[in-house]
Amino acid sequence: SLLSAGPSRFYDAIVVGAGIQGTFAAYHLAKRGQKTLLLEQFPLPHTRGSSHGQSRIIRTAYPQDYYTAMLGEAYRLWAELEEEAGTKLHRQTPMLVLGRKDNPAFQRFWDAMQRNHVPSEALTAESLAQRFPGIHLRGGEVAVCDHTAGILFADKAVKAGQDQFQRNGGTIRDGEKVHGILPGAVITVTTSQGQYRAKHLVVTAGAWANRLLAPLGLHLPLQPLRITVCYWRAKAGSPPGLLEKLPCFLGINLNGEKRDLYGLPAGEYPGLVKVCYHYGTPVDPDHPDQPGSSAPDLRILQDFVSKYLPGLEPEPAVQERCMYTNTPDEDFVLDRHPHFRNIAIGAGFSGHGFKFAPVVGKILCELSLGEEPSYDLVPFQISRFSSQLKAPCKPPN
Ligand SMILES: Cc1cc2nc3c(=O)[nH]c(=O)nc-3n(C[C@H](O)[C@H](O)[C@H](O)COP(=O)(O)OP(=O)(O)OC[C@H]3O[C@@H](n4cnc5c(N)ncnc54)[C@H](O)[C@@H]3O)c2cc1C
């Protein structure tokens, strides 16, 4: 029975999902003195969610002010974790926002960067060609450089967050899947290995979020997507240093694409540049290998690389897989469950959530503890989706 299971079955807070968001939620809870359990279905570290790999872009350039507003604190908290862990988790690299001058999405970036005084610089095609000779823009296209940008070392960051969580008294149980959540003033969480109870719960289950939320009467419009992560080699005979001189970039609707493309200089594979399409193929997170072709995304990438990065072989040298979990507006979900207010939900990070994780974790910690959150969360509320609630709202067995 629960009683004979001993005191380690009782916690102040439980966090479900040890990706980067759950890791930081648990980290903040433990630092706030909450006895916290972090549960993860797979043995850690793993590559089956959204937080694995070695690189993620961090930047202040965002078209929406509510994201820029979180980034000042995000940079500070990343630096704090680096300090605590005694590990470097970040390196600065300029990031170019590329687009047509007359493109509304590109203009929104540019306007927001000026409005928010982001240390940045507009580059003409000529100055771009001098500074970053690997990138070829076409007529009417320009670049803005975000000087605050950089690369976060993703795997190291997840590990550092989990280490510091444990240092602050937190418990991680991995290879232990949550099967059920019974809400109440004290919440009961049933896993593959037992039952735990806590007053506060955070659900950060990535692409699996709806599996846990549906029995709690909530169905969020989340679309898991399979992303093909491609790494590209320089052509034989390319000028020496060409790859080293590439910055991070974000191409807004370049080459007539509806979605963005982005790139990072060589890191995880020496001499291979990471260039990806910011969209993917709908996927069942439990069957990521199911049929559903990535060929269209690959063709888009190949066409882009051959035109805009002509120093690279137009055939990827390495392909890996990752997942996005997209909402219809690509804004996050950061909210309490509409009926069970001691359950906080972080989901739908839509392929751009990593950089915010220290702040997202802080917000989820505040929400789960019933506190006033540090940020205006209107853009992230569940109520923005219609028909998100299924009636009747019956607790699971
Ligand atoms: C290719 C790629 C590039 C990206 N680039 C950037 C970038 O440059 N900058 C940026 O800011 N962001 C970027 N992102 C987005 C960012 O990585 C994600 O937003 C972030 O990792 C999401 O973290 P998460 O914790 O929500 O999800 P996850 O990492 O998937 O974590 C969820 C965890 O919950 C666990 N779980 C699920 N169900 C259960 C259960 N029932 N019981 C126990 N555990 C469970 C899962 O196993 C998983 O470990 C990128 C993403 C990808 C895929």
Side-chain angles (χ1 to χ4, degrees):
S1 80
L2 206 64
L3 280 176
S4 64
S8 69
R9 302 269 155 180
F10 294 86
Y11 292 87
D12 295 322
I14 297 175
V15 178
V16 183
I20 195 64
Q21 312 297 4
T23 294
F24 266 107
Y27 164 91
H28 285 287
L29 283 160
K31 282 190 120 185
R32 296 275 309 271
Q34 302 291 314
K35 186 182 170 197
T36 305
L37 172 65
L38 174 58
L39 290 166
E40 168 55 49
Q41 63 180 342
F42 299 128
L44 290 168
H46 75 85
T47 57
R48 290 183 262 182
S50 303
S51 302
H52 61 282
Q54 294 184 28
S55 56
R56 295 290 188 277
I57 297 174
I58 183 166
R59 56 179 152 105
T60 318
Y62 254 90
Q64 304 95 333
D65 293 346
Y66 46 88
Y67 286 115
T68 307
M70 292 179 177
L71 280 157
E73 189 177 16
Y75 278 92
R76 280 196 301 280
L77 292 175
W78 279 117
E80 205 170 294
L81 178 61
E82 278 187 324
E83 182 103 341
E84 290 170 4
T87 320
K88 221 167 131 34
L89 301 174
H90 163 262
R91 87 179 153 92
Q92 221 190 335
T93 320
M95 190 196 78
L96 300 173
V97 184
L98 308 170
R100 287 188 62 85
K101 235 183 187 157
D102 55 2
N103 175 287
F106 176 79
Q107 281 169 354
R108 279 193 289 276
F109 263 95
W110 179 225
D111 292 346
M113 286 163 80
Q114 290 183 303
R115 191 167 62 238
N116 293 307
H117 309 289
V118 177
S120 55
E121 178 189 3
L123 299 176
T124 58
E126 296 73 47
S127 53
L128 180 85
Q130 270 185 355
R131 290 256 285 281
F132 305 109
I135 300 182
H136 285 213
L137 290 186
R138 299 193 295 170
E141 293 168 347
V142 291
V144 188
C145 187
D146 175 351
H147 289 298
T148 71
I151 296 172
L152 292 164
F153 308 146
D155 287 338
K156 283 190 184 170
V158 172
K159 167 83 165 54
Q162 291 173 359
D163 287 350
Q164 292 310 305
F165 165 63
Q166 288 173 306
R167 275 220 179 148
N168 284 281
T171 305
I172 300 180
R173 292 185 63 97
D174 62 346
E176 185 163 346
K177 183 173 178 172
V178 171
H179 290 306
I181 296 166
L182 188 64
V186 175
I187 300 157
T188 304
V189 172
T190 306
T191 71
S192 49
Q193 293 173 37
Q195 275 194 345
Y196 306 91
R197 299 185 131 198
K199 290 184 293 247
H200 314 282
L201 183 77
V202 177
V203 178
T204 41
W208 293 266
N210 273 328
R211 302 255 209 291
L212 289 163
L213 297 174
L216 297 175
L218 198 57
H219 188 88
L220 300 176
L222 301 176
Q223 177 61 67
L225 297 171
R226 180 174 65 203
I227 306 298
T228 311
V229 184
C230 293
Y231 300 86
W232 312 74
R233 194 189 312 283
K235 279 179 184 158
S238 288
L242 181 84
L243 289 180
E244 289 69 27
K245 282 193 196 134
L246 278 179
C248 290
F249 67 83
L250 181 62
I252 311 295
N253 303 138
L254 283 187
N255 212 15
E257 289 303 334
K258 279 216 290 280
R259 304 279 174 171
D260 302 338
L261 294 117
Y262 59 92
L264 291 79
E268 38 276 90
Y269 299 104
L272 300 189
V273 177
K274 179 172 169 181
V275 184
C276 301
Y277 187 46
H278 190 51
Y279 205 65
T281 312
V283 70
D284 171 348
D286 287 322
H287 300 100
D289 290 318
Q290 75 205 349
S293 172
S294 311
D297 306 342
L298 248 184
R299 272 197 299 277
I300 288 168
L301 275 167
Q302 288 175 316
D303 191 42
F304 174 81
V305 166
S306 62
K307 288 180 183 151
Y308 289 82
L309 303 161
L312 301 180
E313 291 282 358
E315 199 56 57
V318 175
Q319 292 186 38
E320 292 171 349
R321 199 176 58 211
C322 194
M323 271 193 295
Y324 283 3
T325 307
N326 280 29
T327 60
D329 54 16
E330 295 179 26
D331 282 328
F332 311 155
V333 173
L334 298 172
D335 204 348
R336 298 188 178 98
H337 187 290
H339 296 319
F340 311 120
R341 308 297 285 167
N342 52 352
I343 300 182
I345 299 162
F349 292 97
S350 305
H352 66 115
F354 203 95
K355 63 184 84 60
F356 297 97
V359 173
V360 162
K362 180 180 169 188
I363 290 169
L364 292 172
C365 165
E366 293 166 342
L367 288 173
S368 71
L369 296 178
E371 296 171 359
E372 184 68 27
S374 308
Y375 290 85
D376 173 15
L377 299 183
V378 167
F380 311 115
Q381 280 170 352
I382 291 171
S383 60
R384 74 187 193 272
F385 309 123
S386 55
S387 70
Q388 77 282 11
L389 275 175
K390 279 186 193 159
C393 198
K394 191 172 140 284
N397 296 318

